[in-house]
Amino acid sequence: MKIYFSGSIRGGRDDAKLYADIIEHIKQYGEVLTEHIGQMDLQENEITDRQIHDQDLNWLIESDIIIAEVTVPSLGVGYELGRGVEMKKPTYCFHRTPQTSAMVSGCPEIKTYHYESLDEIKVLIDQIFQ
Amino acid sequence: MKIYFSGSIRGGRDDAKLYADIIEHIKQYGEVLTEHIGQMDLQENEITDRQIHDQDLNWLIESDIIIAEVTVPSLGVGYELGRGVEMKKPTYCFHRTPQTSAMVSGCPEIKTYHYESLDEIKVLIDQIFQ
């Protein structure tokens, strides 16, 4: 099982530690292709935007499932969700805000969940994989 | 010429007036399907997220070109860009921040421009349509 985890990078890193905790939990179910999303000291400077894009797109194509934390608004996460839907990848989004984008919560191909704590998202993720 | 203009709604409305000014300028080149993006008093409450999603997706499919202002990070804008790329729509993104998402600026199918003023984006838009 190859898992694409998606979270905000340039949109804001407020949730970076949370991404790392979620990724740590997800790893029991398969290989997380985008484990760097949770790195607190993430450095992108050594590769070009084109290289980042192509690497992430290849991982997206390769993945069996997409898990996204969408609380921090992010163009990149939205882009990955849009392409993922077109690729018919099973896609699950999680947000702590009362609502998220209508393009995400209103998309019939994406399952969207509201949650409040790390413990709560862990339970939801367990249900998805079981 | 049917034009899909994309800008942040739930991600933040700081640029709503700017979106309206850009749309006003673009209208000379065709029909802007998403003119409501520039409405200062935009109300979404009367329709469901599913209705918003399906309406916007239909406009995206119908459009000949996508123009997006991506300065305010937005999941919905990113989603539209991702689906638009898969639909092979000519896509142009504009940002005032020094950089934008690597998934946008690194995408070979999207043309991305940095600009600073309304006058400057008007000139760039004129060049696209001429």
Side-chain angles (χ1 to χ4, degrees):
Chain A
M1 170 78 78
K2 291 182 176 177
I3 304 160
Y4 192 97
F5 178 81
S6 182
S8 172
I9 297 177
R10 294 186 189 166
R13 294 293 285 164
D14 288 354
D15 280 352
K17 173 68 170 67
L18 175 64
Y19 302 154
D21 290 340
I22 296 170
I23 289 167
E24 196 56 38
H25 186 72
I26 293 174
K27 281 164 75 174
Q28 66 185 297
Y29 296 110
E31 182 190 356
V32 179
L33 302 172
T34 53
E35 196 173 344
H36 63 286
I37 305 288
Q39 279 176 20
M40 297 300 285
D41 59 346
L42 181 62
Q43 296 292 333
E44 304 182 303
N45 299 338
E46 285 153 34
I47 58 172
T48 66
D49 284 3
R50 177 66 191 271
Q51 288 171 315
I52 293 171
H53 172 276
D54 291 356
Q55 184 185 64
D56 285 3
L57 184 64
N58 284 336
W59 278 328
L60 197 69
I61 293 166
E62 199 185 329
S63 69
D64 301 301
I65 183 171
I66 300 169
I67 306 273
E69 212 297 350
V70 297
T71 302
V72 175
S74 159
L75 268 178
V77 173
Y79 174 89
E80 289 159 1
L81 294 173
R83 296 207 66 164
V85 165
E86 294 275 350
M87 294 175 199
K88 305 196 183 306
K89 302 287 180 183
T91 301
Y92 300 85
C93 289
F94 298 89
H95 60 98
R96 302 190 309 285
T97 35
Q99 60 177 9
T100 185
S101 168
M103 300 309 286
V104 172
S105 55
C107 174
E109 289 90 5
I110 296 177
K111 291 202 175 60
T112 304
Y113 303 85
H114 176 260
Y115 76 104
E116 292 188 353
S117 66
L118 180 61
D119 283 345
E120 198 178 344
I121 192 174
K122 282 182 180 175
V123 172
L124 292 166
I125 286 169
D126 289 344
Q127 287 167 356
I128 290 165
F129 283 100
Q130 276 156 13
Chain B
M1 169 79 79
K2 292 183 175 175
I3 304 160
Y4 192 97
F5 178 81
S6 183
S8 172
I9 297 178
R10 295 185 189 167
R13 294 293 284 164
D14 288 353
D15 281 351
K17 174 67 171 69
L18 175 65
Y19 301 155
D21 291 339
I22 296 170
I23 289 167
E24 196 56 38
H25 186 73
I26 292 175
K27 280 165 75 175
Q28 66 185 296
Y29 296 111
E31 182 190 358
V32 179
L33 302 171
T34 53
E35 196 173 343
H36 64 283
I37 305 288
Q39 279 177 20
M40 295 302 285
D41 59 345
L42 182 63
Q43 296 292 335
E44 304 181 302
N45 299 337
E46 284 154 34
I47 55 173
T48 66
D49 284 2
R50 176 65 190 272
Q51 287 170 317
I52 294 171
H53 172 274
D54 290 356
Q55 185 184 65
D56 286 3
L57 185 64
N58 284 335
W59 279 328
L60 196 70
I61 292 166
E62 201 184 325
S63 69
D64 300 303
I65 184 171
I66 300 169
I67 306 273
E69 214 294 354
V70 298
T71 302
V72 175
S74 158
L75 267 178
V77 172
Y79 175 89
E80 289 158 2
L81 294 173
R83 297 207 65 165
V85 164
E86 293 275 349
M87 295 174 198
K88 305 199 183 305
K89 303 284 180 184
T91 302
Y92 301 85
C93 289
F94 298 89
H95 60 99
R96 302 191 307 287
T97 36
Q99 62 177 8
T100 185
S101 168
M103 300 310 285
V104 172
S105 55
C107 174
E109 289 91 4
I110 297 177
K111 290 201 176 59
T112 305
Y113 303 85
H114 176 259
Y115 77 104
E116 292 188 353
S117 67
L118 180 61
D119 284 344
E120 198 178 346
I121 192 174
K122 283 181 179 175
V123 172
L124 292 167
I125 286 169
D126 291 343
Q127 287 168 355
I128 290 166
F129 283 99
Q130 276 155 12

